[in-house]
């Protein structure tokens, strides 16, 4: 007979949910995980991982085309095999999905393939007809792509699932939304040959990033041939014989463009429907569940983590929240997550990564508190490893509190930005000051030396600028 009473039940098997289940099991709890679709969630199956697999294929293609620059001949006529790229991407996702299933079995987590709904104190009703019970229930149901009325998803208008598994390369493509997801799809499709237009309603692409970094990203995208339109919205669309006609409105002026396909990447909404929240004290604001510093909702014994619990919508935030939440349940000492110490990465070409405050936000904060800031910058054109790699375009920017030396923010644009940002993440977590970072010895020749030089620059001591 299948067990139905547990210490902890987790609803949703994404990077928040499955990590919560593992940590609960490690702490000696009997744990159940309820997942209605695929273990690993959207991130592993239809988001972070398969997207990065496609983007790496684009990186290899780009390297082949530029091989002659590095003294390698015969690779310059490399062409994309879209079917093979997609197949590899799906294989990567499948392998990791099997890995999560193995981890559940290894840790003794009971997995239910079902949808779940709160059914009274400490109870969950599954759509299979079963009822599960636990003193603690964690909701980790994630989020989905925001739908736009003017762009109904279908054969020619894609959300992320369709964009990750196309049958052919569109000759022309409109990407609506220039946040991380939109920028990544724009980079991939441009690399494999699509004529790409990227639009956003805000004044800059990657609007959550530092303005200077966003402007550099825009220049890099445009240099690659991506058409970028900001302060631009879609007001209507209609099918044509071969694609889609889309009406754009930019600063009061409307224009029509025709493209083969459209990708909608205009944000996400939390999966809060059909969870039985209506008869509980759980509060939902703007499609996200409200929680406290220990991930508790207004309903005793019910918790929420990850994307369904709000920004920042990042897999690593969800996983960290999962551990925090479960350890709090177990009575262990915990520390609330500081959003300013969570790195964010965009895997476009070039990549963009950041942590903490933008320069503008830091200046505003200093103005309000009567403080001052110091800003350091260092370009990769002064870094030996970057020059040797042929990737010497980019910038590292650091923002410090002038009095205390606290690292307030760090911002990087470079093809390896996502790997570099963790250096500043560790520094922020350890509350390292500018003096600590200045005294750190960075290996040579490495790209990470740019992190050091940017810190030195903020205090007028840059050595290679």
């Amino acid at each position: 007979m299948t067990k139905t009473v547990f210490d902890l039940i987790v609803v949703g098997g994404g990077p928040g949910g499955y990590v919560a289940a593992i940590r609960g099991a490690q702490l000696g709890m009997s744990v159940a995980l309820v997942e209605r679709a695929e273990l690993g969630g959207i991130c592993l199956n239809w988001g972070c991982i398969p997207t990065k697999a496609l983007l790496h294929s684009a990186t290899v293609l780009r390297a082949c085309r530029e091989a002659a620059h590095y003294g390698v001949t015969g690779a310059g006529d490399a062409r994309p095999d879209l079917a093979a790229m997609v197949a590899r991407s799906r294989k990567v996702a499948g392998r990791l999905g099997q890995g999560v299933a193995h981890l559940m079995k290894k840790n003794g987590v009971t997995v239910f393939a079902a949808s779940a709904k709160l059914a009274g104190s400490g109870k969950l009703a599954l759509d299979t007809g079963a009822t599960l019970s636990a003193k603690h229930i964690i909701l980790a149901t994630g989020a989905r792509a925001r739908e736009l009325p003017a762009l109904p998803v279908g054969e020619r208008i894609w959300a992320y699932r369709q964009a990750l598994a196309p049958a052919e390369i569109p000759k022309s493509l409109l990407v609506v939304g220039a946040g991380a997801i939109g920028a990544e799809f724009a980079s991939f499709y441009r690399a494999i040959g699509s004529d790409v237009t990227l639009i956003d309603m805000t004044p800059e692409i990657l609007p959550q990033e530092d303005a200077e970094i966003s402007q550099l990203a825009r220049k890099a995208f445009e240099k690659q041939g991506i058409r970028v339109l900001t302060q631009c919205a879609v007001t209507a669309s209609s099918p044509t014989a071969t694609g889609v006609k889309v009406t754009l409105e930019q600063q009061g002026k409307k224009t029509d463009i025709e493209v083969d396909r459209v990708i909608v990447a205009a944000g996400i909404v939390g999966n809060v429907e059909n969870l039985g929240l209506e008869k509980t004290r759980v509060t939902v604001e703007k499609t996200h569940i409200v929680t406290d510093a220990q991930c508790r909702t207004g309903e005793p014994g019910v918790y929420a983590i990850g994307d369904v619990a709000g920004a920042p919508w990042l897999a690593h935030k969800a996983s960290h929240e999962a551990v925090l939440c479960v350890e709090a349940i177990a009575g262990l000492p915990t520390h609330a997550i500081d959003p300013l110490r969570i790195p964010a990465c965009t895997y476009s070409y070039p990549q963009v990564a950041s942590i903490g405050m933008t320069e503008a936000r830091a200046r505003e904060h200093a103005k309000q508190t009567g403080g001052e800031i110091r800003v350091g910058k260092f370009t990769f054109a002064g870094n030996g490893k970057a020059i040797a790699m042929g990737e010497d375009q980019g910038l590292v920017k650091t923002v410090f509190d002038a009095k205390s030396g606290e690292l307030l923010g760090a911002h990087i644009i470079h093809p390896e930005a996502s790997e570099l940002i963790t250096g500043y993440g560790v520094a922020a977590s350890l509350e390292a000051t500018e003096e600590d970072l200045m005294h750190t010895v960075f290996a040579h020749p490495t790209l990470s030396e740019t992190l050091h030089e940017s810190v030195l620059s903020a205090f007028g001591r840059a050595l290679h600028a």
Side-chain angles (χ1 to χ4, degrees):
M1 183 176 178
T2 302
K3 182 176 180 178
T4 60
V5 180
F6 299 87
D7 298 320
L8 172 68
I9 302 173
V10 184
V11 182
Y18 81 74
V19 169
I22 291 172
R23 188 63 184 128
Q26 288 176 340
L27 292 172
M29 301 178 190
S30 59
V31 183
L33 176 68
V34 183
E35 171 55 55
R36 67 183 181 185
E38 301 160 298
L39 288 174
I42 294 298
C43 174
L44 190 153
N45 293 284
W46 295 101
C48 315
I49 299 302
T51 306
K52 305 313 166 279
L54 291 178
L55 286 164
H56 187 69
S57 291
T59 297
V60 173
L61 178 62
R62 193 179 295 110
C64 289
R65 289 170 172 169
E66 298 172 357
H69 176 72
Y70 299 93
V72 178
T73 60
D77 63 345
R79 296 180 299 276
D81 182 337
L82 183 61
M85 287 180 175
V86 171
R88 178 181 178 275
S89 172
R90 301 315 309 155
K91 183 178 180 180
V92 168
R95 175 180 172 180
L96 288 171
Q98 292 173 1
V100 174
H102 169 71
L103 289 172
M104 296 299 97
K105 184 177 181 180
K106 175 183 175 182
N107 287 279
V109 175
T110 303
V111 177
F112 293 87
S115 293
K117 180 180 293 189
L118 295 172
S121 180
K123 295 186 181 299
L124 273 178
L126 307 189
D127 62 357
T128 59
T131 299
L132 307 182
S133 300
K135 185 177 179 180
H136 305 285
I137 297 173
I138 298 176
L139 303 178
T141 51
R144 62 187 183 277
R146 184 182 301 278
E147 297 179 4
L148 300 180
L151 292 168
V153 173
E155 180 184 353
R156 299 173 184 176
I157 299 175
W158 296 342
Y160 54 86
R161 283 180 180 261
Q162 295 89 342
L164 282 169
E168 58 185 9
I169 300 173
K171 293 181 180 179
S172 56
L173 175 70
L174 172 66
V175 180
V176 180
I181 296 172
E184 290 174 5
F185 277 127
S187 287
F188 171 70
Y189 278 97
R190 181 59 192 144
I192 63 173
S194 295
D195 181 5
V196 177
T197 299
L198 176 65
I199 72 168
D200 200 276
M201 294 181 65
T202 64
E204 292 292 342
I205 65 171
L206 301 175
Q208 301 301 317
E209 299 294 341
D210 183 86
E212 184 175 10
I213 299 295
S214 295
Q215 290 160 11
L216 289 173
R218 179 173 186 160
K219 289 178 182 178
F221 288 1
E222 290 176 336
K223 186 176 180 180
Q224 296 166 46
I226 297 173
R227 182 188 182 201
V228 178
L229 301 175
T230 50
Q231 295 181 299
C232 182
V234 174
T235 60
S237 68
S238 59
T240 65
T242 58
V244 186
K245 182 175 78 170
V246 180
T247 301
L248 304 179
E249 183 172 350
Q250 189 177 31
Q251 297 179 328
K253 182 180 179 181
K254 291 186 177 182
T255 56
D256 290 338
I257 66 170
E258 291 192 20
V259 293
D260 289 347
R261 297 292 183 269
V262 177
I263 295 177
V264 180
I268 63 174
V269 295
N271 292 323
V272 295
E273 301 86 357
N274 303 314
L275 291 177
L277 303 180
E278 300 79 9
K279 296 181 181 180
T280 72
R281 283 178 276 181
V282 174
T283 300
V284 176
E285 291 182 359
K286 297 181 179 179
T287 78
H288 293 94
I289 296 173
V290 177
T291 62
D292 67 8
Q294 293 186 325
C295 306
R296 294 174 295 201
T297 71
E299 180 72 16
V302 177
Y303 311 77
I305 61 173
D307 287 357
V308 76
W313 299 288
L314 301 166
H316 43 284
K317 173 258 193 182
S319 296
H320 194 85
E321 253 180 353
V323 173
L324 181 157
C325 180
V326 174
E327 291 185 350
I329 288 172
L332 299 177
T334 60
H335 297 280
I337 290 179
D338 182 353
L340 293 177
R341 292 182 180 175
I342 300 175
C345 302
T346 300
Y347 298 81
S348 53
Y349 181 77
Q351 295 179 7
V352 171
S354 62
I355 189 168
M357 298 183 189
T358 64
E359 179 181 350
R361 183 176 175 187
R363 289 195 183 281
E364 182 61 29
H365 176 74
K367 183 178 179 180
Q368 293 172 354
T369 59
E372 295 181 5
I373 67 169
R374 298 185 71 110
V375 178
K377 302 177 187 179
F378 191 79
T379 68
F380 284 87
N383 177 262
K385 178 67 176 297
I387 294 171
M389 292 171 60
E391 295 285 7
D392 61 349
Q393 298 301 299
L395 176 71
V396 179
K397 179 176 183 178
T398 45
V399 184
F400 290 88
D401 180 278
K403 184 177 180 180
S404 69
E406 178 187 0
L407 177 63
L408 300 176
H411 310 273
I412 308 173
I413 179 168
H414 185 266
E416 297 295 333
S418 64
E419 296 295 337
L420 292 169
I421 196 63
T422 298
Y424 287 131
V426 172
S429 293
L430 295 176
E431 298 183 348
T433 65
E434 93 292 356
E435 184 177 2
D436 297 318
L437 289 165
M438 285 181 184
H439 290 171
T440 299
V441 179
F442 288 76
H444 174 80
T446 63
L447 296 176
S448 64
E449 290 175 280
T450 59
L451 310 187
H452 191 220
E453 289 279 4
S454 183
V455 175
L456 293 171
S457 170
F459 293 84
R461 294 175 51 181
L463 297 172
H464 295 92

